[in-house]
Amino acid sequence: MLHLMVHSVYSDRDIFLRELVANGADACEKLRTLALQDGSLLSDDADLGVTLTCDPKGKTLTVSDNGVGMSHDDLVEALGTIARSGTRAFLEQLGEKTDGSRLIGQFGVGFYSAFMVAQRVDVLTRKAGSDEGWLWTSDGQGAYSIEPTDAAPRRGTKVVLHLAEGSEDYAEPYTVERIIREHGSAVPVPVDLVAPKAAEDGDAKDGEATETRRLADGAAIWTKPKSEITPEDYKSFYQAVATQFDDPALTIHYRAEGRHEYAVLAFVPSTPPMALFDPLRKGRMKLYVRRMFISDELEILPGYLRFVSGVVDSSDLPLNLSRETIQESPILTAIRKGVTNRILSELDKLSDKEPETFAAVWKAFGPVLKEGLYEDYERRDALFGIARFATSKHPEGGRSLKAYVAELRKNQTDIWYLVGDDAKRLEASPHLEGFKARGIEVLLLSDPVDAFWVQNALGFDGKPFKSVTQGAADISAVPLAEGETEADQKDVSAGVATLLAFVKQELAEDVSDVRASSRLAESAACLVAGEHGPDRGLERLLAAHGKLSEATKPVLELNPRHALVSRLAERLSEGGDKEIVQDAAHLLLDQARAAEGQPPADAAAFARRLTRLMQSAIG
Ligand code: ADP
Ligand code: MG
């Protein structure tokens, strides 16, 4: 059973060592806390730490600490649980909880990961302040034994792994050293390695002599001055804390002083972490209090910064508070605010100093950051500052609002946008034609979150956001771009007016109005939303999620300057056969729907009409 468990919960066998070192470090930290009340517990052995002893000949690896140690009852309680509770209870839980990390926390599977590499584990231990030493032994098959021993350390615990076949490598110093480098940089106590001295000048001193080397100094990396930390140190800590394999795109390391004191070491990854769009929007920051790990479940950053991983270490929060109490503490609120602002300002700086790195960050996390435009009212302007967009003039993206506003056209008072789910289709949208003719830039918003924030946003730099698919879109005050000819906006000929009325009647079931368009140049027709309804893009999104109580009818706009439209108007005024104008009305609607990525209103009727039209064209 244990066999099954240790092999299914852990896939990377190396991490058994991290678990055992973490336990040793925990034991030291516990003793340190107890010694605050009773200094005699430390006696003459106050340098707390973890020691790893490699014995390649004996095929053992020993993890010892001079921490708090365990009594007989502690051993039964702490290490007997799984073996004792038996397979049934364990299996039941395993069925419920497939999440391995949860399991580890609940069952103390951490220690049992030793059986991934050991065929037998001996735990020799003596509790601080006690005379009794104990030996716990198990082969990991479910049973264990405990007996008194004189071989226990003076204080603390010694875990001896008798390595299984195929795992002898873990008795080699270089293997152990590699694992500690990869996983051990956050250990809060020093870690030493004791290994046989390398036999020099052919002198085969039979394995007696050993040497001790320090692998980790126990100073939590975030407490060190920046000057003492190499980029490699940062990277390996990042990879351990974030469980990522890439390089951090941005490393933020600072100490806040003043009303609240805390250290922050946070990383923005360069590739998106797993489950980034999980609806739980779980964060990736850990809280420490004076170097003691408290929780990784607290909401330290807002949801839209959930891709940031790292550590916040507070000097002010009391230890031993429940998670709920900490979450509501004003100190955490202040920390949350400070760290959030700092991360946003660092992103802003990055966009300035390293535009390429920033572009990659925005590409990976822009859709997440934009959630903040919707939900973090306070920091909306800061977020607008770093947000980058694709626009009709820069379809490749990377356009800031600041740049947009700096190049407004004469008399342009709004920031125009177009929402949809397909960037390419937006670029080709007929709605943009009139804007292009006047040289007006339009933001092309194709992330799902765009439709939401843009509805609520008041504006940027005093310029309101306006949808090109909503309302009348009067842009006639903006002069035409060079080379474009003025179309007669105001005076729609009597013939066209009649056509508009005719089409409106014909399409009464599908559209609320039919009018002449000032936003079209080359296309004959497009659909827009009424002045007060949701934008066309948002409406489609809501409809797709079943969130639309009743669909509003769009407005069909026809381009009075288009040859087809004027020809249809003539045809209508000539009287006679109206059928062809009727067909055209429906086909224009279907064509406008197609431009938005929608199917024809009535596919069968569409096919009939198109066939009729083709037949008459071919003659
Ligand atoms: P966890 O560390 O998550 O509690 P583990 O399986 O790693 O789970 O350890 C189970 C328990 O065994 C610990 O909570 C601790 O009480 C005890 N323990 C393990 N290793 C040591 C150690 N080196 N010194 C003292 N106690 C230990
Ligand atoms: Mg543990």
Side-chain angles (χ1 to χ4, degrees):
M1 189 50 229
L2 273 174
H3 181 83
L4 188 144
M5 188 241 357
V6 296
H7 289 87
S8 61
V9 172
Y10 295 112
S11 47
D12 176 5
R13 292 193 315 161
D14 288 357
I15 66 153
F16 83 89
L17 190 54
R18 185 178 66 187
E19 294 290 340
L20 296 184
V21 170
N23 284 350
D26 285 351
C28 293
E29 301 272 61
K30 278 181 204 159
L31 180 61
R32 202 178 273 158
T33 311
L34 288 175
L36 296 177
Q37 320 278 310
D38 178 1
S40 74
L41 288 176
L42 286 174
S43 64
D44 59 350
D45 185 13
D47 292 334
L48 302 175
V50 173
T51 304
L52 307 173
T53 309
C54 287
D55 180 1
K57 287 234 172 72
K59 295 178 187 162
T60 62
L61 169 62
T62 302
V63 181
S64 15
D65 66 74
N66 55 354
V68 67
M70 283 178 275
S71 67
H72 179 276
D73 292 352
D74 291 341
L75 275 173
V76 173
E77 176 71 25
L79 304 187
T81 315
I82 290 184
R84 209 184 39 199
S85 67
T87 47
R88 193 168 45 83
F90 182 69
L91 258 183
E92 278 167 12
Q93 295 289 338
L94 194 65
E96 265 171 42
K97 302 239 155 56
T98 45
D99 178 352
S101 58
R102 276 253 193 92
L103 206 66
I104 295 165
Q106 281 181 358
F107 289 89
V109 177
F111 169 79
Y112 278 90
S113 63
F115 290 104
M116 284 192 298
V117 300
Q119 36 140 332
R120 196 181 95 219
V121 177
D122 298 334
V123 178
L124 297 127
T125 185
R126 195 187 313 268
K127 190 160 184 153
S130 161
D131 294 332
E132 296 170 354
W134 298 99
L135 167 64
W136 178 100
T137 305
S138 174
D139 61 4
Q141 302 296 314
Y144 64 90
S145 67
I146 302 180
E147 57 194 66
T149 181
D150 294 332
R154 274 177 64 210
R155 184 189 71 219
T157 304
K158 208 164 143 177
V159 179
V160 186
L161 309 180
H162 299 274
L163 296 167
E165 233 179 273
S167 295
E168 294 91 346
D169 204 33
Y170 290 108
E172 298 292 344
Y174 59 80
T175 308
V176 169
E177 183 167 357
R178 172 183 60 79
I179 301 173
I180 297 301
R181 294 243 173 286
E182 283 169 12
H183 295 294
S185 43
V187 184
V189 295
V191 179
D192 289 324
L193 175 69
V194 178
K197 217 172 199 156
E200 278 166 45
D201 34 274
D203 183 11
K205 259 196 275 155
D206 215 19
E208 285 301 307
T210 59
E211 61 184 353
T212 303
R213 251 174 333 122
R214 185 144 285 192
L215 297 185
D217 63 7
I221 180 170
W222 59 88
T223 62
K224 294 185 190 177
K226 280 184 177 182
S227 56
E228 284 174 23
I229 310 174
T230 66
E232 285 70 39
D233 292 339
Y234 276 131
K235 181 176 167 180
S236 72
F237 179 69
Y238 158 72
Q239 294 187 335
V241 77
T243 43
Q244 287 268 108
F245 299 96
D246 55 347
D247 287 76
L250 178 62
T251 301
I252 301 167
H253 185 192
Y254 71 99
R255 207 182 158 74
E257 262 141 22
R259 232 164 88 71
H260 297 292
E261 282 186 20
Y262 53 90
V264 178
L265 178 51
F267 302 93
V268 174
S270 50
T271 54
M274 302 256 292
L276 189 56
F277 289 99
D278 185 305
L280 284 177
R281 308 208 304 159
K282 214 172 151 299
R284 290 177 166 79
M285 291 289 287
K286 298 183 174 170
L287 180 72
Y288 282 69
V289 172
R290 292 184 290 286
R291 287 177 43 192
M292 302 262 208
F293 173 70
I294 302 296
S295 173
D296 54 5
E297 305 262 303
L298 293 160
E299 203 194 308
I300 295 176
L301 292 175
Y304 63 87
L305 289 177
R306 61 187 174 276
F307 55 88
V308 178
S309 349
V311 166
V312 170
D313 188 347
S314 158
S315 312
D316 317 321
L317 274 166
L319 285 163
N320 303 330
L321 282 184
S322 76
R323 211 164 74 199
E324 290 70 28
T325 321
I326 296 182
Q327 185 72 67
E328 268 142 40
S329 125
I331 300 179
L332 191 70
T333 308
I335 290 177
R336 189 175 194 264
K337 192 171 165 189
V339 182
T340 305
N341 290 343
R342 179 66 176 249
I343 290 173
L344 293 184
S345 73
E346 294 285 339
L347 282 170
D348 193 31
K349 261 192 236 159
L350 184 73
S351 74
D352 219 37
K353 288 197 190 126
E354 294 177 44
E356 267 169 40
T357 315
F358 179 79
V361 168
W362 183 260
K363 189 158 183 265
F365 305 114
V368 183
L369 281 161
K370 281 195 278 188
E371 290 169 12
L373 290 174
Y374 181 71
E375 68 187 5
D376 195 347
Y377 196 77
E378 254 177 78
R379 299 189 184 81
R380 202 181 268 169
D381 284 334
L383 285 162
F384 275 145
I386 59 175
R388 296 292 182 272
F389 299 93
T391 71
S392 51
K393 288 187 179 170
H394 298 268
E396 73 287 354
R399 188 85 161 141
S400 70
L401 288 178
K402 212 168 132 199
Y404 179 105
V405 167
E407 290 172 29
L408 286 184
R409 297 274 293 146
K410 187 172 170 234
N411 296 340
Q412 181 185 350
T413 50
D414 305 302
I415 297 173
W416 292 95
Y417 68 87
L418 176 60
V419 184
D421 50 12
D422 183 322
K424 278 275 159 286
R425 192 154 55 224
L426 291 185
E427 229 182 294
S429 170
H431 297 95
L432 297 178
E433 293 167 358
F435 291 83
K436 277 190 190 137
R438 295 191 137 69
I440 300 173
E441 186 169 17
V442 177
L443 305 179
L444 305 177
L445 306 178
S446 60
D447 288 321
V449 65
D450 285 328
F452 296 96
W453 69 259
V454 80
Q455 294 285 310
N456 288 19
L458 295 175
F460 174 79
D461 196 19
K463 318 281 180 299
F465 289 96
K466 256 187 148 175
S467 166
V468 305
T469 68
Q470 188 173 24
D474 189 1
I475 47 174
S476 53
V478 179
L480 282 165
E482 217 173 305
E484 301 282 346
T485 48
E486 181 68 90
D488 192 352
Q489 300 292 333
K490 302 275 164 348
D491 312 321
V492 171
S493 70
V496 169
T498 315
L499 175 72
L500 294 175
F502 179 86
V503 174
K504 182 174 176 181
Q505 201 179 12
E506 185 60 32
L507 301 179
E509 277 185 22
D510 298 303
V511 300
S512 63
D513 196 10
V514 177
R515 66 184 177 219
S517 180
S518 64
R519 73 192 98 206
L520 291 174
E522 284 124 47
S523 298
C526 70
L527 285 170
V528 300
E531 199 73 56
H532 302 295
D535 161 86
R536 292 290 296 154
L538 178 62
E539 181 166 311
R540 278 199 301 283
L541 193 89
L542 293 175
H545 288 82
K547 292 270 162 60
L548 202 64
S549 45
E550 57 178 312
T552 51
K553 286 183 190 172
V555 174
L556 180 71
E557 288 195 355
L558 298 183
N559 180 356
R561 296 155 313 269
H562 198 283
L564 173 64
V565 174
S566 38
R567 187 71 197 97
L568 282 171
E570 281 168 35
R571 186 71 179 243
L572 193 64
S573 62
E574 284 159 12
D577 182 11
K578 278 186 189 152
E579 245 163 57
I580 193 147
V581 187
Q582 276 168 334
D583 276 356
H586 287 279
L587 285 170
L588 282 169
L589 171 66
D590 285 336
Q591 176 191 313
R593 289 173 59 91
E596 290 183 344
Q598 298 195 82
D602 175 346
F606 166 76
R608 266 196 318 276
R609 289 182 186 116
L610 193 60
T611 308
R612 260 201 307 267
L613 202 70
M614 287 191 287
Q615 271 172 344
S616 70
I618 294 165

